[in-house]
Amino acid sequence: MLSTSEFKKFTRNRPIFAPNYDCMQLLAFWLLYPLLWCISVLPFPLLYALSDLTYFFVYRVFGYRKKAVRKNLDIALPHLSVAERRVVERKFYAHMCDMFLEMIKTLTISTKEMNRRFRYTNIELLHEYEKTGRSLILMCAHYASWEWLIVMAEHIHVYRTVAVYKRIANQRFDKLVRDIRARLNTELIEAQKAIEVLHQQKEEGILAVYGFLGDQSPQLTKARHWDTFMGQEVPIHTGGEMLAKKLNLNIAYCRVTKKKRGYYEATIIPLAENPREYRDYEITTKYLKEVEKQILEAPEFYFWTHKRWKHTGKKKKPVMQETTA
């Protein structure tokens, strides 16, 4: 029989419960996948009827993250009255449920149908970027619909489409997401591997448009830059700008607007063609201002469940060194 110290030594760094955890992941996948597939084949009128029902339970019954949403709205939209913020809140939850079901619809939606519902207003600008012989970093936001941006691959000629994302813990759902994107000719790379992959692809002469979602809050310990977003000083992701400067890439913002239920438009807005000519973080600030403009125009389409302002007021002040006479 092993002693206590020997048992600890034997089990150190060994995931004892990994097999059970893997079985649970597999079970969750096989239970949920058939349901997701059935939802994805619903015609849009039925899909949005289901969205209305989902909204009732998510917002009215369970109040999913309602406290966090209200706090975010109070912080970001102090110029609105409480009643006006409640209107935004209700519209946001309705939109969130729509978008969640539209994400599921991506499992089986045809490219033709997605092109009909998600339109690029100035796709010719992407063609001009392709002619430069340099890749493009496309900054995006959690606004309107970022999932259907992947239809871009159907409109470009030279670029690959690559999206930087955070890996899903369940390996089977992670593979499912990758397969869905691959069906629409979009490659996914994990955020922590982005620097390595972009360097490698540049060395290999691969041209691509790299999609970055840059409006989430970074971990406080990894925050390199603080900026003002919706009137609050918060830590900011700067990876898109830093990579554009390091690799001399074009960088632009993709402004997505919701025209009506199930229909979106995307417009490419240049941020910098020669990023090395800009001061550090200047491009990131331009990007944030574009996101702010959209939020102020129609706040109900921003993703308010994110705790975007959770680090407000936590910026460390520089330590003043005492001097002696």
Side-chain angles (χ1 to χ4, degrees), residues 95-117:
H95 166 69
M96 182 183 72
C97 293
D98 279 359
M99 201 190 71
F100 174 68
L101 290 173
E102 288 165 2
M103 289 167 60
I104 297 173
K105 185 69 175 175
T106 312
L107 275 168
T108 56
I109 193 172
S110 68
T111 303
K112 181 180 179 181
E113 181 67 16
M114 190 178 287
N115 273 316
R116 193 172 72 84
R117 291 176 171 271

Side-chain angles (χ1 to χ4, degrees), residues 234-287:
V234 292
I236 303 294
H237 278 293
T238 59
E241 176 182 341
M242 294 300 104
L243 280 168
K245 287 185 172 183
K246 191 174 186 67
L247 301 176
N248 193 29
L249 308 181
N250 299 301
I251 182 167
Y253 172 59
C254 190
R255 175 188 172 95
V256 181
T257 56
K258 187 171 185 175
K259 308 309 291 183
K260 61 180 180 178
R261 198 174 202 182
Y263 291 85
Y264 303 88
E265 282 187 356
T267 302
I268 310 301
I269 299 174
L271 293 177
E273 292 185 6
N274 297 296
R276 292 172 177 172
E277 296 177 359
Y278 290 77
R279 297 188 305 274
D280 281 351
Y281 312 123
E282 186 177 356
I283 299 171
T284 298
T285 298
K286 289 180 67 177
Y287 156 70

Side-chain angles (χ1 to χ4, degrees), residues 91-144:
K91 289 182 177 179
F92 158 69
Y93 274 95
H95 166 69
M96 182 183 72
C97 293
D98 279 359
M99 201 190 71
F100 174 68
L101 290 173
E102 288 165 2
M103 289 167 60
I104 297 173
K105 185 69 175 175
T106 312
L107 275 168
T108 56
I109 193 172
S110 68
T111 303
K112 181 180 179 181
E113 181 67 16
M114 190 178 287
N115 273 316
R116 193 172 72 84
R117 291 176 171 271
F118 194 101
R119 191 174 72 87
Y120 283 89
T121 64
N122 61 340
I123 200 68
E124 65 278 357
L125 182 58
L126 282 178
H127 301 157
E128 293 300 316
Y129 278 127
E130 288 180 305
K131 293 175 184 177
T132 67
R134 291 187 292 153
S135 292
L136 170 70
I137 286 182
L138 192 63
M139 301 300 297
C140 309
H142 289 90
Y143 189 92

Side-chain angles (χ1 to χ4, degrees), residues 73-90:
L73 291 172
D74 291 346
I75 291 172
L77 304 173
H79 60 286
L80 298 182
S81 68
V82 173
E84 288 171 327
R85 290 199 292 271
R86 292 296 179 270
V87 171
V88 172
E89 176 183 298
R90 291 191 292 272

Side-chain angles (χ1 to χ4, degrees), residues 17 23 143 212 248 276 296:
F17 301 106
C23 287
Y143 189 92
F212 282 77
N248 193 29
R276 292 172 177 172
L296 292 172

Side-chain angles (χ1 to χ4, degrees), residues 20-32 170 172:
N20 290 337
Y21 178 67
D22 189 62
C23 287
M24 291 301 293
Q25 283 193 336
L26 181 62
L27 179 62
F29 178 79
W30 286 116
L31 286 174
L32 285 175
N170 188 307
R172 288 158 186 85

